Structure formats: structure tokens, C-alpha cells
Amino acid sequence: MDFGLFYFANDKEDADDRYRLLIEGAKFADSHDFASVWTPERHFHAFGGLYPNPAVTGAAVAAVTERVAVRAGSVVAPLHHPVRIAEEWAIVDNLSKGRVGIAFASGWHAADFVLRPEAYPTRRSGLIDSVKSIRSLWRQEPASLTDGAGETVDVTVFPPPVQPELPVWLTSAGNPQTFREAGEMGAGVLTHLLGQGVDVLEKRISEYRQSFRDHHDPSEGDGHVALMLHTFVGDDRETVRETVREPFSKYLASSFDLVIHAAKAAGANEVALDLDKMGPSDIDFLVSQAFDRYFETSGMFGTVEDCLRMCETLHEVGVDEIACLIDFGVETGTVLSSLEHLDRLRQTWRDREPAR
């Protein structure tokens, strides 16, 4: 089971150096045998707002690293033309000398689709079509498209990427259909514990593996599951709890209005109205409950020994990589110092990891 770093910062207006943690964390990951660095795509909101274009942040990571995989977690494919995605990431693949990988998502927030409103109603089916097109373009297969004069032209992506095949994941919040589709496509899965417990995740991974085996030759293996997990490792569990409590609680609270808007867009008006009507004390209670759940069962917090228990659980259910989300509000210097403990966890797990 590999370890990577995952970024999804809540932007802070008073930040002096917004990307220090990304760059210094990537350097650490590169020099300490971590598998990957993931950056997302988010638009028009402080929650995740440091990352409107993972190709740009991926290029920055590529420029300061030599070995670690440079991944998007995730590109919202329906927001963009497939040719543009293939072009941008072919550049990053060249800058990184062949270390690129992309998790693709369908998108969930209606406001994001001001970039391409016509794609919102068909975003789920459009995701699969886009990924197929991008993979084809990556292989340097020409695409027949209509130009500005209404003529059909064949286009090929430049520069040619270094990797002959693009490593691909589909991002899923737990939808079983997405897990099955990823298996059918021969893609990996990037998922999280925000809306599913470990027991549900185990079932989804099993379905994904079976789908992969059903549609691909055994020589291709049975896929790859990366799990995004909020992470902070330290010397003492209670010190870790108090270090992360305030910043992580603020981080959770900052996402609430996103949940309201998303619920309204999905037609879940009851949920949206309930959240709208909540006062500060109600919100504080919800945040407190969420913090306790993440700290105890849905994140990787505490000492190396504490976190090894979570590693064992995730290994048992079939996770291939833990993508450690580290930028949820703890002061940058403190997070960078904590990476030494995270690396000790990685090394200890490598020494103890049981066979699957």
C-alpha cells in the first residue's frame, strides 16, 4: 500500500505564501519515496479554491521534483474540451518526464458549469465519453473535429506525451456505478470516506475488482484504488487532536454553504432549507460531531501506532494507496514538520505490511 500527498486547501485571504505547503510538501514526498502528489480542480469558492487548474499546479510540482507521480485529483472532464485537457497534460507529462496521472470527475456543483453550462445535464455520461476521447488523443490518434469555418479537420495533440498510455482514475464518492465503470474501462478509482464508511468501501472495492477482472486480461491486474484521507501524524494523540481541532473544524464549516447549494441544485430542497435555517449553535454542533467522526474513524490522525491501525483496516478492504490530505488549515510550518512522522508511518507500514 502506497502513500501519497493530497491537496484541497481552503483559501485564506491573509495567506502570504499560498503555495508553500504544496511546493515544500512535494519536495518532501519526492525525496522520501512517496508515490504521488495530487491536486484537484475547484472553482468559485474558497473551499478548495487554491486549485482551479490542476495542470498548472501539476506543472509546478513537476518542476521541483524528479520521481514522485504528478496527479490530478480530479479533472472535471465535462467542463473542458477533451483536446484541451490532453494538450495541457501532455505538457506536464513532458515537464515531468512521464510521471503524469489523472483522476477524472463528472462535477457536482452547478456554479462550476458557468464554464460550460451546456454540459451540466449530461455530465455523468459525458465523463465517460470525454475520458475515452482523451485516452485516444493521448495515444496520438487523430480526432475528427469541426473547425471555425465549419470544415471537418483531423487534429493530433502536441507535444506528444512521454507515456504511451495515460494512467487514469475515476473519482467516486461511493456510487457503485462509478466503481463498476472504472473497472470496465480499466481505470483506477479515487475515492474518500466523506459519504461512506469502511464497510461500504470494502463492498465497492470488491465490485470494482470483479468488474475489472470481467473486462480485462488477468495480465493487466485488477486495478488500483486510491483513498483520500485527512491526515496529521504526531508524537502524542491528544496533542494531535488539539492541534487539528480548530483549523479542521473551520475547514469543515467552510464547506457547509457548498453543501446547501449542491443540495438545491440536486433538488433536495428539504436538506438545503434545513441547513439554511440553522443558527450558529446548530452549525457548531454539526461541526463538532463531524470533527469527532473524522478524528476517530474517517481520517488518519494520531501517533504512528494509532495510524497503523487505520492502515491495517484499509489494507484489509483492498486500498492500494492512501492519498494523505494535509492542507486543511494547520499552520504550514507545523504541517511540514509533521511530514517526518508521516514518513515514519510509511516506513513502518512498509516493514510490517502483510501479504494480501
Side-chain angles (χ1 to χ4, degrees), residues 150-208:
E151 301 293 328
T152 299
V153 295
D154 287 342
V155 299
T156 305
V157 166
F158 289 92
V162 174
Q163 298 175 97
E165 289 286 339
L166 173 65
V168 167
W169 289 256
L170 293 187
T171 300
S172 175
N175 186 330
Q177 180 180 346
T178 307
F179 277 79
R180 289 193 296 270
E181 288 173 340
E184 291 174 17
M185 295 173 64
V189 173
L190 173 64
T191 189
H192 50 69
L193 295 178
L194 275 66
Q196 60 184 341
V198 173
D199 55 339
V200 174
L201 176 62
E202 181 175 21
K203 182 179 179 182
R204 296 289 174 263
I205 292 175
S206 177
E207 293 167 350
Y208 162 68

Tab-separated table of all heavy atoms in Angstrom, residues 150-208:
chain	number	residue	atom	x	y	z
A	150	GLY	N	-16.462	25.595	-40.241
A	150	GLY	CA	-17.460	24.545	-40.449
A	150	GLY	C	-16.926	23.322	-41.166
A	150	GLY	O	-17.693	22.429	-41.531
A	151	GLU	N	-15.602	23.270	-41.367
A	151	GLU	CA	-14.985	22.136	-42.046
A	151	GLU	C	-14.545	21.076	-41.033
A	151	GLU	O	-14.189	21.395	-39.898
A	151	GLU	CB	-13.766	22.602	-42.850
A	151	GLU	CG	-14.055	23.652	-43.904
A	151	GLU	CD	-14.910	23.103	-45.041
A	151	GLU	OE1	-14.780	21.898	-45.345
A	151	GLU	OE2	-15.696	23.879	-45.625
A	152	THR	N	-14.562	19.836	-41.478
A	152	THR	CA	-14.072	18.744	-40.631
A	152	THR	C	-12.569	18.606	-40.816
A	152	THR	O	-12.079	18.486	-41.949
A	152	THR	CB	-14.763	17.422	-40.985
A	152	THR	OG1	-16.178	17.557	-40.763
A	152	THR	CG2	-14.229	16.286	-40.116
A	153	VAL	N	-11.850	18.643	-39.695
A	153	VAL	CA	-10.390	18.525	-39.741
A	153	VAL	C	-9.940	17.463	-38.750
A	153	VAL	O	-10.598	17.213	-37.739
A	153	VAL	CB	-9.706	19.870	-39.415
A	153	VAL	CG1	-10.017	20.906	-40.484
A	153	VAL	CG2	-10.124	20.374	-38.034
A	154	ASP	N	-8.820	16.832	-39.059
A	154	ASP	CA	-8.211	15.871	-38.142
A	154	ASP	C	-7.134	16.578	-37.332
A	154	ASP	O	-6.250	17.231	-37.910
A	154	ASP	CB	-7.595	14.708	-38.918
A	154	ASP	CG	-8.649	13.774	-39.492
A	154	ASP	OD1	-9.800	13.830	-39.022
A	154	ASP	OD2	-8.318	12.997	-40.418
A	155	VAL	N	-7.210	16.466	-35.995
A	155	VAL	CA	-6.223	17.112	-35.128
A	155	VAL	C	-5.498	16.063	-34.289
A	155	VAL	O	-6.085	15.050	-33.890
A	155	VAL	CB	-6.869	18.171	-34.207
A	155	VAL	CG1	-7.517	19.281	-35.028
A	155	VAL	CG2	-7.895	17.541	-33.278
A	156	THR	N	-4.226	16.331	-34.061
A	156	THR	CA	-3.388	15.485	-33.212
A	156	THR	C	-2.765	16.372	-32.139
A	156	THR	O	-2.369	17.506	-32.419
A	156	THR	CB	-2.275	14.804	-34.024
A	156	THR	OG1	-2.876	14.082	-35.107
A	156	THR	CG2	-1.485	13.838	-33.154
A	157	VAL	N	-2.686	15.847	-30.924
A	157	VAL	CA	-2.200	16.640	-29.798
A	157	VAL	C	-0.685	16.834	-29.866
A	157	VAL	O	0.065	15.897	-30.138
A	157	VAL	CB	-2.592	15.952	-28.470
A	157	VAL	CG1	-1.821	16.544	-27.296
A	157	VAL	CG2	-4.082	16.084	-28.219
A	158	PHE	N	-0.274	18.071	-29.631
A	158	PHE	CA	1.137	18.421	-29.456
A	158	PHE	C	1.308	19.131	-28.122
A	158	PHE	O	0.418	19.871	-27.711
A	158	PHE	CB	1.626	19.331	-30.596
A	158	PHE	CG	1.757	18.643	-31.912
A	158	PHE	CD1	0.710	18.630	-32.824
A	158	PHE	CD2	2.933	17.981	-32.232
A	158	PHE	CE1	0.829	17.991	-34.039
A	158	PHE	CE2	3.067	17.345	-33.460
A	158	PHE	CZ	2.014	17.340	-34.365
A	159	PRO	N	2.451	18.935	-27.433
A	159	PRO	CA	3.515	17.989	-27.776
A	159	PRO	C	3.083	16.552	-27.512
A	159	PRO	O	2.190	16.327	-26.683
A	159	PRO	CB	4.641	18.393	-26.821
A	159	PRO	CG	3.909	18.894	-25.608
A	159	PRO	CD	2.708	19.620	-26.154
A	160	PRO	N	3.688	15.587	-28.205
A	160	PRO	CA	3.364	14.198	-27.878
A	160	PRO	C	3.737	13.907	-26.423
A	160	PRO	O	4.807	14.320	-25.963
A	160	PRO	CB	4.251	13.392	-28.843
A	160	PRO	CG	4.638	14.349	-29.913
A	160	PRO	CD	4.693	15.700	-29.267
A	161	PRO	N	2.886	13.221	-25.679
A	161	PRO	CA	3.247	12.888	-24.294
A	161	PRO	C	4.368	11.866	-24.244
A	161	PRO	O	4.647	11.173	-25.233
A	161	PRO	CB	1.947	12.309	-23.728
A	161	PRO	CG	1.188	11.822	-24.919
A	161	PRO	CD	1.549	12.727	-26.050
A	162	VAL	N	5.006	11.768	-23.093
A	162	VAL	CA	6.085	10.804	-22.905
A	162	VAL	C	5.530	9.398	-22.736
A	162	VAL	O	6.006	8.439	-23.354
A	162	VAL	CB	6.952	11.198	-21.682
A	162	VAL	CG1	7.998	10.127	-21.385
A	162	VAL	CG2	7.619	12.549	-21.926
A	163	GLN	N	4.492	9.260	-21.893
A	163	GLN	CA	3.906	7.943	-21.631
A	163	GLN	C	2.995	7.530	-22.791
A	163	GLN	O	2.137	8.313	-23.215
A	163	GLN	CB	3.080	7.970	-20.342
A	163	GLN	CG	3.872	8.291	-19.098
A	163	GLN	CD	2.970	8.413	-17.885
A	163	GLN	OE1	2.808	7.465	-17.112
A	163	GLN	NE2	2.387	9.593	-17.693
A	164	PRO	N	3.137	6.314	-23.287
A	164	PRO	CA	2.261	5.884	-24.385
A	164	PRO	C	0.798	5.749	-23.970
A	164	PRO	O	-0.099	5.926	-24.783
A	164	PRO	CB	2.848	4.533	-24.803
A	164	PRO	CG	3.624	4.059	-23.620
A	164	PRO	CD	4.136	5.298	-22.943
A	165	GLU	N	0.565	5.428	-22.706
A	165	GLU	CA	-0.799	5.338	-22.175
A	165	GLU	C	-0.921	6.266	-20.971
A	165	GLU	O	-0.013	6.339	-20.139
A	165	GLU	CB	-1.148	3.915	-21.749
A	165	GLU	CG	-1.329	2.939	-22.892
A	165	GLU	CD	-2.644	3.149	-23.645
A	165	GLU	OE1	-3.580	3.763	-23.068
A	165	GLU	OE2	-2.734	2.692	-24.798
A	166	LEU	N	-2.034	6.956	-20.878
A	166	LEU	CA	-2.285	7.863	-19.759
A	166	LEU	C	-2.837	7.081	-18.565
A	166	LEU	O	-3.892	6.452	-18.680
A	166	LEU	CB	-3.295	8.934	-20.178
A	166	LEU	CG	-3.793	9.873	-19.075
A	166	LEU	CD1	-2.650	10.725	-18.546
A	166	LEU	CD2	-4.935	10.755	-19.606
A	167	PRO	N	-2.174	7.096	-17.405
A	167	PRO	CA	-2.761	6.495	-16.200
A	167	PRO	C	-4.022	7.259	-15.782
A	167	PRO	O	-3.979	8.479	-15.628
A	167	PRO	CB	-1.653	6.632	-15.153
A	167	PRO	CG	-0.387	6.791	-15.941
A	167	PRO	CD	-0.787	7.565	-17.169
A	168	VAL	N	-5.121	6.540	-15.615
A	168	VAL	CA	-6.431	7.161	-15.412
A	168	VAL	C	-7.116	6.564	-14.184
A	168	VAL	O	-7.054	5.349	-13.953
A	168	VAL	CB	-7.322	6.962	-16.660
A	168	VAL	CG1	-8.783	7.302	-16.362
A	168	VAL	CG2	-6.812	7.813	-17.820
A	169	TRP	N	-7.782	7.423	-13.413
A	169	TRP	CA	-8.685	7.028	-12.335
A	169	TRP	C	-10.031	7.704	-12.566
A	169	TRP	O	-10.107	8.765	-13.202
A	169	TRP	CB	-8.156	7.491	-10.973
A	169	TRP	CG	-6.952	6.774	-10.461
A	169	TRP	CD1	-6.901	5.826	-9.480
A	169	TRP	CD2	-5.587	6.967	-10.878
A	169	TRP	NE1	-5.601	5.412	-9.272
A	169	TRP	CE2	-4.775	6.106	-10.109
A	169	TRP	CE3	-4.976	7.795	-11.830
A	169	TRP	CZ2	-3.399	6.028	-10.268
A	169	TRP	CZ3	-3.597	7.723	-11.991
A	169	TRP	CH2	-2.826	6.848	-11.222
A	170	LEU	N	-11.106	7.117	-12.067
A	170	LEU	CA	-12.389	7.805	-11.963
A	170	LEU	C	-12.611	8.149	-10.495
A	170	LEU	O	-12.346	7.322	-9.614
A	170	LEU	CB	-13.550	6.938	-12.463
A	170	LEU	CG	-13.600	6.601	-13.942
A	170	LEU	CD1	-14.911	5.881	-14.270
A	170	LEU	CD2	-13.444	7.837	-14.817
A	171	THR	N	-13.091	9.344	-10.244
A	171	THR	CA	-13.356	9.779	-8.874
A	171	THR	C	-14.781	9.420	-8.495
A	171	THR	O	-15.724	9.702	-9.246
A	171	THR	CB	-13.144	11.290	-8.751
A	171	THR	OG1	-11.797	11.593	-9.104
A	171	THR	CG2	-13.413	11.765	-7.328
A	172	SER	N	-14.944	8.819	-7.339
A	172	SER	CA	-16.274	8.417	-6.878
A	172	SER	C	-16.438	8.714	-5.395
A	172	SER	O	-15.537	8.447	-4.592
A	172	SER	CB	-16.501	6.919	-7.113
A	172	SER	OG	-17.748	6.516	-6.564
A	173	ALA	N	-17.617	9.243	-5.039
A	173	ALA	CA	-17.959	9.459	-3.640
A	173	ALA	C	-18.622	8.226	-3.034
A	173	ALA	O	-19.085	8.261	-1.896
A	173	ALA	CB	-18.896	10.658	-3.516
A	174	GLY	N	-18.681	7.142	-3.799
A	174	GLY	CA	-19.285	5.912	-3.300
A	174	GLY	C	-20.344	5.331	-4.208
A	174	GLY	O	-20.921	4.279	-3.910
A	175	ASN	N	-20.602	5.994	-5.341
A	175	ASN	CA	-21.601	5.496	-6.292
A	175	ASN	C	-21.120	4.168	-6.882
A	175	ASN	O	-20.079	4.123	-7.534
A	175	ASN	CB	-21.800	6.533	-7.402
A	175	ASN	CG	-22.925	6.153	-8.357
A	175	ASN	OD1	-23.201	4.981	-8.579
A	175	ASN	ND2	-23.566	7.163	-8.921
A	176	PRO	N	-21.869	3.082	-6.677
A	176	PRO	CA	-21.403	1.778	-7.176
A	176	PRO	C	-21.251	1.738	-8.684
A	176	PRO	O	-20.386	1.027	-9.204
A	176	PRO	CB	-22.485	0.803	-6.691
A	176	PRO	CG	-23.678	1.647	-6.377
A	176	PRO	CD	-23.148	2.965	-5.952
A	177	GLN	N	-22.062	2.519	-9.406
A	177	GLN	CA	-21.960	2.543	-10.861
A	177	GLN	C	-20.592	3.056	-11.308
A	177	GLN	O	-19.992	2.525	-12.248
A	177	GLN	CB	-23.063	3.411	-11.460
A	177	GLN	CG	-23.024	3.474	-12.989
A	177	GLN	CD	-24.128	4.346	-13.563
A	177	GLN	OE1	-25.080	4.718	-12.871
A	177	GLN	NE2	-24.012	4.675	-14.836
A	178	THR	N	-20.089	4.096	-10.622
A	178	THR	CA	-18.789	4.644	-10.989
A	178	THR	C	-17.681	3.628	-10.750
A	178	THR	O	-16.762	3.485	-11.569
A	178	THR	CB	-18.496	5.923	-10.189
A	178	THR	OG1	-19.578	6.834	-10.335
A	178	THR	CG2	-17.222	6.587	-10.679
A	179	PHE	N	-17.758	2.882	-9.655
A	179	PHE	CA	-16.769	1.844	-9.392
A	179	PHE	C	-16.795	0.784	-10.496
A	179	PHE	O	-15.746	0.351	-10.986
A	179	PHE	CB	-17.036	1.191	-8.034
A	179	PHE	CG	-16.471	1.945	-6.861
A	179	PHE	CD1	-17.114	3.059	-6.349
A	179	PHE	CD2	-15.290	1.524	-6.253
A	179	PHE	CE1	-16.595	3.750	-5.262
A	179	PHE	CE2	-14.758	2.205	-5.160
A	179	PHE	CZ	-15.413	3.326	-4.676
A	180	ARG	N	-18.008	0.377	-10.909
A	180	ARG	CA	-18.111	-0.639	-11.961
A	180	ARG	C	-17.600	-0.098	-13.295
A	180	ARG	O	-16.905	-0.804	-14.038
A	180	ARG	CB	-19.558	-1.104	-12.089
A	180	ARG	CG	-20.043	-1.958	-10.908
A	180	ARG	CD	-21.353	-2.650	-11.238
A	180	ARG	NE	-22.441	-1.696	-11.461
A	180	ARG	CZ	-23.257	-1.247	-10.510
A	180	ARG	NH1	-23.104	-1.670	-9.248
A	180	ARG	NH2	-24.224	-0.408	-10.784
A	181	GLU	N	-17.943	1.152	-13.600
A	181	GLU	CA	-17.481	1.747	-14.859
A	181	GLU	C	-15.970	1.860	-14.908
A	181	GLU	O	-15.354	1.635	-15.952
A	181	GLU	CB	-18.120	3.124	-15.049
A	181	GLU	CG	-19.595	3.074	-15.394
A	181	GLU	CD	-20.252	4.445	-15.412
A	181	GLU	OE1	-19.701	5.391	-14.804
A	181	GLU	OE2	-21.330	4.573	-16.023
A	182	ALA	N	-15.362	2.205	-13.782
A	182	ALA	CA	-13.902	2.276	-13.727
A	182	ALA	C	-13.291	0.912	-14.025
A	182	ALA	O	-12.296	0.808	-14.759
A	182	ALA	CB	-13.449	2.778	-12.363
A	183	GLY	N	-13.885	-0.140	-13.471
A	183	GLY	CA	-13.398	-1.482	-13.756
A	183	GLY	C	-13.528	-1.840	-15.223
A	183	GLY	O	-12.605	-2.386	-15.835
A	184	GLU	N	-14.673	-1.523	-15.809
A	184	GLU	CA	-14.890	-1.806	-17.228
A	184	GLU	C	-13.868	-1.081	-18.101
A	184	GLU	O	-13.370	-1.629	-19.095
A	184	GLU	CB	-16.302	-1.379	-17.637
A	184	GLU	CG	-17.403	-2.219	-17.033
A	184	GLU	CD	-18.791	-1.668	-17.348
A	184	GLU	OE1	-18.889	-0.848	-18.287
A	184	GLU	OE2	-19.752	-2.044	-16.657
A	185	MET	N	-13.552	0.160	-17.747
A	185	MET	CA	-12.632	0.973	-18.536
A	185	MET	C	-11.168	0.620	-18.305
A	185	MET	O	-10.291	1.097	-19.034
A	185	MET	CB	-12.815	2.455	-18.184
A	185	MET	CG	-14.151	3.030	-18.547
A	185	MET	SD	-14.303	4.722	-17.908
A	185	MET	CE	-13.005	5.538	-18.853
A	186	GLY	N	-10.897	-0.176	-17.286
A	186	GLY	CA	-9.516	-0.446	-16.941
A	186	GLY	C	-8.853	0.723	-16.245
A	186	GLY	O	-7.631	0.889	-16.292
A	187	ALA	N	-9.668	1.565	-15.600
A	187	ALA	CA	-9.158	2.728	-14.860
A	187	ALA	C	-9.069	2.400	-13.380
A	187	ALA	O	-9.674	1.437	-12.890
A	187	ALA	CB	-10.081	3.924	-15.079
A	188	GLY	N	-8.321	3.228	-12.652
A	188	GLY	CA	-8.322	3.139	-11.203
A	188	GLY	C	-9.508	3.889	-10.632
A	188	GLY	O	-10.312	4.485	-11.360
A	189	VAL	N	-9.618	3.868	-9.303
A	189	VAL	CA	-10.657	4.610	-8.593
A	189	VAL	C	-9.993	5.501	-7.548
A	189	VAL	O	-9.120	5.035	-6.795
A	189	VAL	CB	-11.670	3.673	-7.899
A	189	VAL	CG1	-12.643	4.476	-7.034
A	189	VAL	CG2	-12.450	2.864	-8.918
A	190	LEU	N	-10.400	6.756	-7.510
A	190	LEU	CA	-10.037	7.678	-6.426
A	190	LEU	C	-11.296	7.935	-5.623
A	190	LEU	O	-12.307	8.391	-6.173
A	190	LEU	CB	-9.484	8.985	-6.984
A	190	LEU	CG	-9.218	10.101	-5.961
A	190	LEU	CD1	-8.131	9.693	-4.974
A	190	LEU	CD2	-8.841	11.408	-6.666
A	191	THR	N	-11.267	7.639	-4.335
A	191	THR	CA	-12.469	7.788	-3.516
A	191	THR	C	-12.098	8.346	-2.142
A	191	THR	O	-10.951	8.696	-1.879
A	191	THR	CB	-13.212	6.438	-3.423
A	191	THR	OG1	-14.498	6.629	-2.803
A	191	THR	CG2	-12.401	5.407	-2.640
A	192	HIS	N	-13.086	8.432	-1.255
A	192	HIS	CA	-12.879	9.021	0.073
A	192	HIS	C	-13.910	8.452	1.035
A	192	HIS	O	-14.765	7.640	0.638
A	192	HIS	CB	-12.970	10.546	0.004
A	192	HIS	CG	-14.195	11.055	-0.706
A	192	HIS	ND1	-15.468	10.935	-0.180
A	192	HIS	CD2	-14.341	11.684	-1.906
A	192	HIS	CE1	-16.338	11.465	-1.015
A	192	HIS	NE2	-15.685	11.918	-2.073
A	193	LEU	N	-13.844	8.886	2.295
A	193	LEU	CA	-14.775	8.402	3.316
A	193	LEU	C	-15.784	9.468	3.727
A	193	LEU	O	-16.378	9.376	4.792
A	193	LEU	CB	-13.999	7.915	4.547
A	193	LEU	CG	-13.097	6.694	4.342
A	193	LEU	CD1	-12.357	6.365	5.637
A	193	LEU	CD2	-13.906	5.482	3.873
A	194	LEU	N	-15.998	10.473	2.881
A	194	LEU	CA	-16.901	11.560	3.256
A	194	LEU	C	-18.350	11.102	3.339
A	194	LEU	O	-19.104	11.563	4.181
A	194	LEU	CB	-16.777	12.728	2.267
A	194	LEU	CG	-15.647	13.725	2.557
A	194	LEU	CD1	-14.282	13.045	2.390
A	194	LEU	CD2	-15.737	14.922	1.622
A	195	GLY	N	-18.745	10.207	2.439
A	195	GLY	CA	-20.134	9.780	2.444
A	195	GLY	C	-20.304	8.283	2.546
A	195	GLY	O	-21.383	7.752	2.271
A	196	GLN	N	-19.250	7.585	2.909
A	196	GLN	CA	-19.309	6.129	3.019
A	196	GLN	C	-18.376	5.656	4.120
A	196	GLN	O	-17.319	6.241	4.333
A	196	GLN	CB	-18.921	5.477	1.683
A	196	GLN	CG	-17.526	5.831	1.219
A	196	GLN	CD	-17.167	5.264	-0.138
A	196	GLN	OE1	-17.794	4.330	-0.618
A	196	GLN	NE2	-16.143	5.815	-0.773
A	197	GLY	N	-18.787	4.630	4.819
A	197	GLY	CA	-17.935	4.041	5.842
A	197	GLY	C	-17.003	3.007	5.235
A	197	GLY	O	-17.121	2.651	4.052
A	198	VAL	N	-16.098	2.490	6.049
A	198	VAL	CA	-15.142	1.499	5.565
A	198	VAL	C	-15.856	0.237	5.116
A	198	VAL	O	-15.442	-0.416	4.149
A	198	VAL	CB	-14.100	1.190	6.657
A	198	VAL	CG1	-13.200	0.030	6.244
A	198	VAL	CG2	-13.248	2.421	6.953
A	199	ASP	N	-16.963	-0.113	5.782
A	199	ASP	CA	-17.698	-1.320	5.391
A	199	ASP	C	-18.275	-1.179	3.989
A	199	ASP	O	-18.226	-2.125	3.183
A	199	ASP	CB	-18.806	-1.620	6.408
A	199	ASP	CG	-19.756	-0.449	6.624
A	199	ASP	OD1	-19.379	0.704	6.315
A	199	ASP	OD2	-20.876	-0.675	7.114
A	200	VAL	N	-18.818	-0.002	3.681
A	200	VAL	CA	-19.343	0.233	2.328
A	200	VAL	C	-18.205	0.272	1.318
A	200	VAL	O	-18.308	-0.278	0.216
A	200	VAL	CB	-20.154	1.547	2.279
A	200	VAL	CG1	-20.584	1.871	0.852
A	200	VAL	CG2	-21.366	1.456	3.198
A	201	LEU	N	-17.102	0.917	1.688
A	201	LEU	CA	-15.953	0.984	0.798
A	201	LEU	C	-15.466	-0.417	0.429
A	201	LEU	O	-15.128	-0.682	-0.735
A	201	LEU	CB	-14.818	1.769	1.473
A	201	LEU	CG	-13.504	1.854	0.700
A	201	LEU	CD1	-13.682	2.577	-0.623
A	201	LEU	CD2	-12.431	2.543	1.548
A	202	GLU	N	-15.429	-1.314	1.398
A	202	GLU	CA	-14.989	-2.689	1.119
A	202	GLU	C	-15.866	-3.343	0.054
A	202	GLU	O	-15.370	-3.997	-0.872
A	202	GLU	CB	-15.023	-3.518	2.400
A	202	GLU	CG	-14.563	-4.950	2.203
A	202	GLU	CD	-14.498	-5.722	3.505
A	202	GLU	OE1	-15.161	-5.315	4.482
A	202	GLU	OE2	-13.779	-6.745	3.545
A	203	LYS	N	-17.168	-3.136	0.154
A	203	LYS	CA	-18.089	-3.702	-0.834
A	203	LYS	C	-17.852	-3.092	-2.206
A	203	LYS	O	-17.830	-3.796	-3.226
A	203	LYS	CB	-19.535	-3.469	-0.383
A	203	LYS	CG	-20.575	-4.057	-1.327
A	203	LYS	CD	-21.980	-3.805	-0.812
A	203	LYS	CE	-23.018	-4.384	-1.779
A	203	LYS	NZ	-24.409	-4.108	-1.323
A	204	ARG	N	-17.675	-1.783	-2.253
A	204	ARG	CA	-17.468	-1.096	-3.537
A	204	ARG	C	-16.164	-1.566	-4.192
A	204	ARG	O	-16.101	-1.764	-5.404
A	204	ARG	CB	-17.429	0.415	-3.331
A	204	ARG	CG	-18.715	1.014	-2.819
A	204	ARG	CD	-19.808	1.004	-3.879
A	204	ARG	NE	-21.058	1.462	-3.286
A	204	ARG	CZ	-22.010	0.656	-2.841
A	204	ARG	NH1	-21.854	-0.661	-2.910
A	204	ARG	NH2	-23.119	1.141	-2.317
A	205	ILE	N	-15.116	-1.734	-3.388
A	205	ILE	CA	-13.840	-2.182	-3.949
A	205	ILE	C	-13.976	-3.590	-4.513
A	205	ILE	O	-13.452	-3.904	-5.587
A	205	ILE	CB	-12.722	-2.115	-2.886
A	205	ILE	CG1	-12.416	-0.656	-2.545
A	205	ILE	CG2	-11.466	-2.822	-3.379
A	205	ILE	CD1	-11.401	-0.481	-1.420
A	206	SER	N	-14.695	-4.443	-3.809
A	206	SER	CA	-14.907	-5.810	-4.290
A	206	SER	C	-15.638	-5.803	-5.631
A	206	SER	O	-15.273	-6.550	-6.563
A	206	SER	CB	-15.704	-6.605	-3.250
A	206	SER	OG	-15.990	-7.899	-3.718
A	207	GLU	N	-16.663	-4.950	-5.748
A	207	GLU	CA	-17.404	-4.842	-7.013
A	207	GLU	C	-16.510	-4.308	-8.127
A	207	GLU	O	-16.587	-4.753	-9.283
A	207	GLU	CB	-18.616	-3.920	-6.820
A	207	GLU	CG	-19.664	-4.495	-5.885
A	207	GLU	CD	-20.695	-3.446	-5.449
A	207	GLU	OE1	-20.469	-2.242	-5.722
A	207	GLU	OE2	-21.704	-3.840	-4.841
A	208	TYR	N	-15.661	-3.356	-7.776
A	208	TYR	CA	-14.734	-2.780	-8.750
A	208	TYR	C	-13.745	-3.832	-9.251
A	208	TYR	O	-13.507	-3.967	-10.464
A	208	TYR	CB	-13.992	-1.613	-8.105
A	208	TYR	CG	-12.729	-1.192	-8.811
A	208	TYR	CD1	-12.769	-0.605	-10.075
A	208	TYR	CD2	-11.481	-1.382	-8.210
A	208	TYR	CE1	-11.596	-0.217	-10.722
A	208	TYR	CE2	-10.317	-0.994	-8.841
A	208	TYR	CZ	-10.373	-0.419	-10.097
A	208	TYR	OH	-9.224	-0.037	-10.738
